[in-house]
């Protein structure tokens, strides 16, 4: 067995992966800095949305706020998918 994690310190997640025939390769740990960074990013997304919430509310009311979020989600998804395709093509060569 050439595993990075000894059997004596194996977590429940690692044991479940091994039972399925896989080996955990990525570290599953958060330092205080990485946990704070994740919290900062999540919080700032809501603060950013709250900062621009007034514009669609004044321009179009409730429907503009509702549909604006949905349209933004669709557009961001399309941009992300297209960028992922570009990266896939670039790394294939």
């Amino acid at each position: 067995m050439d595993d990075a994690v000894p059997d004596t310190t194996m977590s429940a997640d690692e044991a479940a992966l091994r039972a399925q025939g896989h080996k955990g390769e990525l570290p599953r740990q958060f330092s205080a800095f990485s946990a704070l960074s994740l919290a900062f990013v999540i919080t700032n997304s809501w603060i950013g949305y709250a900062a621009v919430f007034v514009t669609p509310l004044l321009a179009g009311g409730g429907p503009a706020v509702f549909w604006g979020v949905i349209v933004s989600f669709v557009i961001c998804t399309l941009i992300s998918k297209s960028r992922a395709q570009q990266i896939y093509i670039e790394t294939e060569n």
Side-chain angles (χ1 to χ4, degrees):
M1 222 184 223
D2 60 339
D3 301 324
V5 178
D7 289 336
T8 57
T9 61
M10 188 183 313
S11 67
D13 291 337
E14 186 70 24
L17 278 175
R18 298 256 178 98
Q20 296 172 0
H22 300 288
K23 181 176 88 170
E25 297 180 13
L26 297 175
R28 295 186 180 127
Q29 57 195 17
F30 282 105
S31 66
F33 179 73
S34 61
L36 283 173
S37 299
L38 181 63
F40 181 77
V41 168
I42 291 171
T43 303
N44 276 339
S45 66
W46 285 103
I47 291 171
Y49 179 70
V52 298
F53 183 76
V54 175
T55 304
L57 190 60
L58 294 176
V65 173
F66 177 77
W67 291 109
V69 171
I70 293 174
V71 169
S72 297
F73 171 77
V74 169
I75 290 173
C76 286
T77 302
L78 292 175
I79 290 171
S80 298
K81 288 181 84 166
S82 109
R83 185 65 186 136
Q85 182 66 26
Q86 290 173 346
I87 292 171
Y88 174 75
I89 290 171
E90 289 174 6
T91 58
E92 204 172 56
N93 296 330

